[in-house]
Amino acid sequence: GNSVTQMEGPVTLSEEAFLTINCTYTATGYPSLFWYVQYPGEGLQLLLKATKADDKGSNKGFEATYRKETTSFHLEKGSVQVSDSAVYFCALRGNAGNNRKLIWGLGTSLAVNP
Amino acid sequence: NAGVTQTPKFQVLKTGQSMTLQCAQDMNHNSMYWYRQDPGMGLRLIYYSASEGTTDKGEVPNGYNVSRLNKREFSLRLESAAPSQTSVYFCASSESAGVLSYTFGSGTRLTVV
């Protein structure tokens, strides 16, 4: 079945550092890929998505490119801020039958220090 | 603000007690979901409702029941709480089961002692 693997945290960075959170997936066909963010004490929010190979999702300075050849959807940001401290979840949704449910990674906690 | 509202935000139960977690959305979404979030386990789907009048089991339905009361409301019931049900519970909704993105509530932190 479909699955998502993302790098374990916690990740601790200084403000203005470059961020990469790795996410790889296993799926049949052409899934859609997502990054969600969960700020402390809140529910998850959609950060960005990509629905086909080579698509780049972007939002709030974050980017991720759907790489079918490496089955990856790594999240990047060029210069993190303290306000980016949160837990980031990679997710996948297949495109047929039971595979259409969202499959979640375990989450990566990011702490950004001033 | 439009969105998904969950009540209560916090709850402590004794083993064997029952309770219902409430969820309501005002975005006219057709599909609603209940997840639990546990450290090291990520998000796991308990039950979902693809549309008003239907409910289906997710990955971890044992010990829970749900009711899709109307299009807006989707409740989760624990009939006899167990310590293993200590978790943070999230309700989410989407325009339909086929739509890509979900809107989440802010969660209910449940402790069963």
Side-chain angles (χ1 to χ4, degrees), chain B:
Chain B
N1 290 336
V4 177
T5 303
Q6 291 183 236
T7 55
K9 291 191 183 300
F10 301 94
Q11 184 71 50
V12 178
L13 289 179
K14 294 182 179 178
T15 298
Q17 286 185 317
S18 63
M19 80 161 294
T20 299
L21 281 63
Q22 307 287 351
C23 175
Q25 52 90 9
D26 57 6
M27 297 170 288
N28 202 35
H29 284 174
N30 288 302
S31 302
M32 299 184 74
Y33 312 83
W34 276 105
Y35 284 91
R36 59 178 290 174
Q37 185 180 34
D38 302 290
M41 306 285 287
L43 282 165
R44 292 182 292 169
L45 182 65
I46 305 171
Y47 271 94
Y48 68 101
S49 170
S51 61
E52 185 179 357
T54 70
T55 60
D56 286 288
K57 295 178 180 179
E59 303 168 65
V60 288
N62 291 346
Y64 305 95
N65 285 300
V66 290
S67 296
R68 184 74 184 265
L69 304 169
N70 47 55
K71 191 171 185 179
R72 291 186 62 247
E73 298 172 287
F74 187 40
S75 62
L76 178 72
R77 182 160 178 84
L78 287 70
E79 291 291 351
S80 179
S84 61
Q85 294 178 305
T86 294
S87 187
V88 181
Y89 292 85
F90 287 101
C91 179
S93 69
S94 64
E95 288 182 22
S96 69
V99 166
L100 299 181
S101 64
Y102 293 3
T103 301
F104 280 80
S106 57
T108 296
R109 185 174 293 277
L110 175 67
T111 302
V112 183
V113 297

